[in-house]
Amino acid sequence: MLIYEKKQVLIYISLVISVCGFVYFRYLPLHRELGGIQDAKASEIAAISKSRTDSQHLSAFKDELERLQGRVGNYDVYVPSHRNLGEFLRKIADLMSKYSLSDQLVQPGKEEEINGLYCIPVSMQCEGQLEQIFGFLKSLQELNRAVRIVGIELNNDSQFSGQVSMQTKTYIYYCAQPEQEG
């Protein structure tokens, strides 16, 4: 019986070694790999979910872009290739007269160049009824030239008679064309 018991012990030992070898060399590496695959799967699902969310926002961005393009249109039409400051100042004076604004003062400042785009600050001040001033500002927006208003100051007169004085600073732009060689 001793040989039979030794064989059984050897069988049990070899079975334990086989099970330990299987667990250590096969099961644990596969389990680690499975965990890595599950992590990769989770990150892919998160990326797909983010892509779906982004694609839903994309249509809103497209709509906003179309709206802004419609609003901006051909901006280069509103940025002339020549300075035309005198013509612009004449239009401002005509608009102020059209709205019966008094104490008119329109004063251009020193122009600045930024990447080939020239910017001329123009300070304006006048007096009139609030409706007249708003009409003037609305007409200013409708000019066929890009005008950026950076600040408006409105002050009532001391008797509160409805007369308002306005001071504003605006910028007009032009893009100088390169000189053509003859």
Side-chain angles (χ1 to χ4, degrees), residues 74-85 87 111 116-120 144-146 172-180:
N74 296 329
Y75 80 93
D76 54 339
V77 171
Y78 298 103
V79 179
S81 60
H82 299 348
R83 189 170 183 217
N84 295 339
L85 182 61
E87 180 183 339
E111 69 182 50
L117 186 66
Y118 293 88
C119 159
I120 304 171
N144 59 350
R145 184 168 190 156
I172 61 170
Y173 301 91
Y174 74 96
C175 182
Q177 296 293 330
E179 303 258 343
Q180 295 187 6

Side-chain angles (χ1 to χ4, degrees), residues 39-133:
D39 290 344
K41 180 181 175 184
S43 68
E44 288 297 320
I45 288 172
I48 289 169
S49 174
K50 184 180 181 318
S51 296
R52 283 186 183 148
T53 303
D54 290 347
S55 69
Q56 290 171 350
H57 294 297
L58 185 61
S59 65
F61 287 139
K62 284 181 183 178
D63 293 342
E64 180 70 10
L65 178 63
E66 288 174 6
R67 185 184 68 77
L68 289 174
Q69 283 176 337
R71 193 169 160 212
V72 171
N74 296 329
Y75 80 93
D76 54 339
V77 171
Y78 298 103
V79 179
S81 60
H82 299 348
R83 189 170 183 217
N84 295 339
L85 182 61
E87 180 183 339
F88 176 76
L89 295 176
R90 184 188 51 76
K91 286 181 182 179
I92 295 298
D94 290 347
L95 284 175
M96 284 182 171
S97 295
K98 175 183 173 184
Y99 288 98
S100 304
L101 298 172
S102 62
D103 294 332
Q104 301 174 8
L105 177 65
V106 180
Q107 189 172 20
K110 182 180 176 190
E111 69 182 50
E112 303 169 17
E113 184 214 351
I114 303 169
N115 296 329
L117 186 66
Y118 293 88
C119 159
I120 304 171
V122 178
S123 297
M124 293 183 264
Q125 65 184 49
C126 59
E127 289 184 11
Q129 299 291 319
L130 197 56
E131 296 84 23
Q132 296 168 314
I133 290 176

Side-chain angles (χ1 to χ4, degrees), residues 3-67:
I3 293 181
Y4 178 72
E5 288 176 5
K6 283 184 178 180
K7 282 185 180 181
Q8 275 192 338
V9 170
L10 283 175
I11 289 173
Y12 288 133
I13 291 174
S14 66
L15 183 63
V16 168
I17 291 174
S18 295
V19 168
C20 288
F22 175 77
V23 168
Y24 185 73
F25 292 110
R26 193 71 187 141
Y27 175 76
L28 291 177
L30 287 176
H31 186 68
R32 276 189 231 112
E33 188 175 329
L34 178 63
I37 290 172
Q38 288 173 337
D39 290 344
K41 180 181 175 184
S43 68
E44 288 297 320
I45 288 172
I48 289 169
S49 174
K50 184 180 181 318
S51 296
R52 283 186 183 148
T53 303
D54 290 347
S55 69
Q56 290 171 350
H57 294 297
L58 185 61
S59 65
F61 287 139
K62 284 181 183 178
D63 293 342
E64 180 70 10
L65 178 63
E66 288 174 6
R67 185 184 68 77

Side-chain angles (χ1 to χ4, degrees), residues 155-171:
N155 293 311
N156 275 328
D157 65 346
S158 59
Q159 291 81 26
F160 298 104
S161 65
Q163 276 296 99
V164 177
S165 66
M166 176 198 74
Q167 286 121 13
T168 183
K169 184 167 186 177
T170 60
Y171 287 96

